[in-house]
């Protein structure tokens, strides 16, 4: 695992965007794995700027997203489909037909998980998967559990995740209790992984990711076994590792 420690959010966002930019320039028809949450917003803002001002070209890029809330339609302002469209897809020259997320409104959850796994496989997997991290060490929506999941599945969100994500909803009761998420196996099969984290609230999770045992109790810890994983982390999020 390669660790890049930075001073703050802006530096983290710039470095992460540079790595994604390099991926797109090296392989214009690459498959990018995208993440949601507040952490990648600055990274996406840099990519938007470069696309608009420097001609960074996403026209051949395909994308797969990590996860989606179960029960939220694409046009709900807290759905991840809406988030991606608003913060990235509508602002760059990606072909929206080449952007994929699990369908939160599917009728048959098992069939949807199967469909999403097959889709990712048919694209050849992600060349670069961007990840944030939850305060409890979750990646995508792989919550702390007794075992790692392989493919896409429907997960019951933990209280701590519901609490953390409730800031974005009108009230806590509005946060969906379930989500579809790529499993840890799918995340691990990405050719490259780039995890970004900033702020004190992530310090415990970063400690688990870097210095803890590999355990489904801290889902991000599985990344210790990934052959090409880069973590960009600011001083605050790194504080429990560096002491
Ligand atoms: C959600 C997403 C994760 C994200 C996490 C952290 O639970 N499913 O992919 O990493 O939130 O979000 P934030 O970046 O807002 O701290």
């Amino acid at each position: 695992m390669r660790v890049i420690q930075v001073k703050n959010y802006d530096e983290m966002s710039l470095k992460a965007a540079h790595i994604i930019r390099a991926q797109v320039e090296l392989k214009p028809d690459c498959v990018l794995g995208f993440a949601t949450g507040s952490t990648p917003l600055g990274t996406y803002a840099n990519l938007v700027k470069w696309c608009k001002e420097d001609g960074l070209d996403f026209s051949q890029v395909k994308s797969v997203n990590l996860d989606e809330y179960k029960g939220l339609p694409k046009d709900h302002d807290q759905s991840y489909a809406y988030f991606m469209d608003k913060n990235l897809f509508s602002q760059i020259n990606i072909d929206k037909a080449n952007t994929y997320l699990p369908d939160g409104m599917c009728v048959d959850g098992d069939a949807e998980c199967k469909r999403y796994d097959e889709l990712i496989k048919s694209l050849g997997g992600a060349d670069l998967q961007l990840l944030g991290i939850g305060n409890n060490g979750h990646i995508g929506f792989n919550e702390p559990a007794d075992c790692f999941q392989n493919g896409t599945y429907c997960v019951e969100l933990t209280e701590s995740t519901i609490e953390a994500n409730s800031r974005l909803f009108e009230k806590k009761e509005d946060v969906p209790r379930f989500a579809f998420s790529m499993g840890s196996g799918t995340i691990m099969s990405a050719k490259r992984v780039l995890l970004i984290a900033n702020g004190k609230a992530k310090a415990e999770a970063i400690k688990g990711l870097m210095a803890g045992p590999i355990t489904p109790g801290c889902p991000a810890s599985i990344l210790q076994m990934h052959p090409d994983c880069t973590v960009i982390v600011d001083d605050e999020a790194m504080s429990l590792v560096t002491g």
Side-chain angles (χ1 to χ4, degrees):
M1 182 180 292
R2 179 162 172 252
V3 180
I4 303 175
Q5 189 170 346
V6 295
K7 285 198 176 53
N8 55 38
Y9 182 82
D10 287 347
E11 213 185 314
M12 175 196 79
S13 302
L14 190 59
K15 280 203 191 298
H18 272 297
I19 292 172
I20 297 170
R21 176 178 188 151
Q23 175 66 64
V24 173
E25 285 175 343
L26 283 168
K27 189 180 175 194
D29 61 348
C30 63
V31 177
L32 295 179
F34 286 128
T36 52
S38 31
T39 312
L41 283 172
T43 304
Y44 294 156
N46 284 312
L47 295 176
V48 167
K49 183 166 177 273
W50 294 336
C51 181
K52 286 183 174 157
E53 295 174 6
D54 286 353
L56 178 60
D57 182 13
F58 290 88
S59 62
Q60 296 178 65
V61 168
K62 298 182 191 76
S63 77
V64 288
N65 258 78
L66 284 167
D67 47 14
E68 179 60 283
Y69 285 117
K70 186 176 183 207
L72 293 193
K74 288 187 176 67
D75 59 357
H76 188 288
D77 65 0
Q78 290 309 323
S79 78
Y80 287 166
Y82 185 95
F83 174 102
M84 288 310 300
D85 196 52
K86 176 172 172 224
N87 296 301
L88 192 64
F89 299 154
S90 65
Q91 301 196 61
I92 60 175
N93 68 333
I94 198 165
D95 179 350
K96 280 192 202 170
N98 290 333
T99 64
Y100 304 99
L101 291 98
D103 176 6
M105 292 303 283
C106 62
V107 181
D108 181 341
D110 289 344
E112 175 57 12
C113 292
K114 204 163 162 245
R115 180 197 72 83
Y116 202 59
D117 281 340
E118 277 164 11
L119 172 86
I120 296 169
K121 223 179 258 167
S122 74
L123 297 173
D127 290 292
L128 172 63
Q129 176 65 57
L130 179 65
L131 295 175
I133 188 168
N135 297 347
N136 61 2
H138 75 243
I139 47 175
F141 265 133
N142 289 275
E143 295 279 34
D146 295 337
C147 59
F148 290 110
Q149 292 283 338
N150 191 18
T152 303
Y153 67 115
C154 184
V155 59
E156 181 168 11
L157 304 181
T158 61
E159 262 319 296
S160 106
T161 296
I162 290 168
E163 182 65 45
N165 292 1
S166 65
R167 70 188 194 279
L168 303 164
F169 290 78
E170 219 165 274
K171 44 189 191 318
K172 195 173 154 190
E173 296 70 53
D174 293 343
V175 184
R177 264 38 196 169
F178 292 88
F180 294 106
S181 179
M182 275 186 202
S184 307
T186 310
I187 294 172
M188 287 296 283
S189 67
K191 294 175 192 75
R192 271 185 176 164
V193 171
L194 173 61
L195 185 144
I196 53 178
N198 71 290
K200 271 217 170 71
K202 301 292 169 71
E204 197 65 50
I206 290 298
K207 186 178 166 196
L209 158 68
M210 291 183 190
I214 298 172
T215 162
C218 176
S221 64
I222 199 171
L223 297 172
Q224 291 175 32
M225 289 169 64
H226 195 283
D228 190 351
C229 175
T230 300
V231 178
I232 307 179
V233 65
D234 79 345
D235 291 340
E236 282 191 356
M238 196 66 177
S239 57
L240 293 178
V241 180
T242 48

